[in-house]
Amino acid sequence: MDKRVIVIDHPLIQHKLSIMRDVNTGSKDFRELLEEISMLMGYEVTRNFQLEEVEIETPICKTKAKMLTGKKVAIVPILRAGLGMVDGMLKLVPAAKVGHIGLYRDPVTLKPVEYYCKLPSDIEEREIIVTDPMLATGGSASDAIKLLKDKGAKI
């Protein structure tokens, strides 16, 4: 399996997914659960972000502590479904820039068609998290990643 593919099977995520899938779950609860799941997924997705040791002043004394270093982050939802995951991710990484990718599949050729793409101007310098809660064949995700690469992203 590709090291960049992270399978998240945490019990809390499985539980919340079950509630989301229930026909009796309303729109408000669905959106809240999606945000919660996004935060839990974000925790795992950011697990390997780089840290550096810095000196900070605590109320008691100076000490060495770990802080994030390395690339800035971009969260790029695939429109429209991926939008529901952005707020949860932003709660974890509030300084992240948000881009958007809009794709649809041509019904005749079955090839992806880009209808919208707005990315941070420095996308090539960012760690990118692509969000899309609906992964069937992976075609849209693969197409979005190709589009990001074409726009200069280092993936």
Side-chain angles (χ1 to χ4, degrees):
M1 178 177 282
D2 189 323
K3 292 178 188 176
R4 295 173 293 177
V5 174
I6 301 167
V7 177
I8 301 172
D9 58 358
H10 193 284
L12 286 175
I13 291 177
Q14 290 183 38
H15 172 77
K16 291 174 185 295
L17 277 173
S18 296
I19 297 169
M20 283 179 74
R21 291 175 175 147
D22 189 321
V23 70
N24 298 307
T25 299
S27 298
K28 177 184 177 291
D29 290 335
F30 184 93
R31 283 190 295 274
E32 289 173 356
L33 288 160
L34 180 57
E35 183 175 326
E36 292 170 10
I37 289 170
S38 299
M39 285 177 50
L40 292 167
M41 291 174 70
Y43 177 79
E44 290 297 327
V45 169
T46 59
R47 176 175 295 282
N48 294 318
F49 277 14
Q50 295 177 12
L51 294 172
E52 67 179 340
E53 193 170 271
V54 297
E55 188 172 285
I56 61 168
E57 182 82 32
T58 74
I60 300 169
C61 64
K62 287 186 178 184
T63 188
K64 294 190 189 264
K66 304 277 186 180
M67 295 191 75
L68 288 174
T69 186
K71 293 182 174 184
K72 295 176 185 175
V73 177
I75 300 167
V76 181
I78 299 175
L79 299 176
R80 292 176 323 203
L83 287 173
M85 300 179 75
V86 173
D87 287 342
M89 293 284 182
L90 283 173
K91 284 189 175 178
L92 292 176
V93 190
K97 295 283 187 181
V98 178
H100 298 87
I101 293 177
L103 297 169
Y104 71 89
R105 196 148 312 276
D106 182 285
V108 176
T109 66
L110 302 179
K111 294 195 183 293
V113 177
E114 172 190 337
Y115 68 87
Y116 187 78
C117 185
K118 179 76 172 164
L119 302 171
S121 59
D122 60 350
I123 195 69
E124 68 281 349
E125 299 170 17
R126 293 185 175 269
E127 188 80 35
I128 303 166
I129 299 171
V130 177
T131 63
D132 187 3
M134 189 60 207
L135 185 63
T137 64
S140 292
S142 177
D143 296 338
I145 290 168
K146 181 182 181 319
L147 177 63
L148 284 164
K149 285 180 177 179
D150 291 347
K151 302 284 185 180
K154 310 279 190 296
I155 297 179

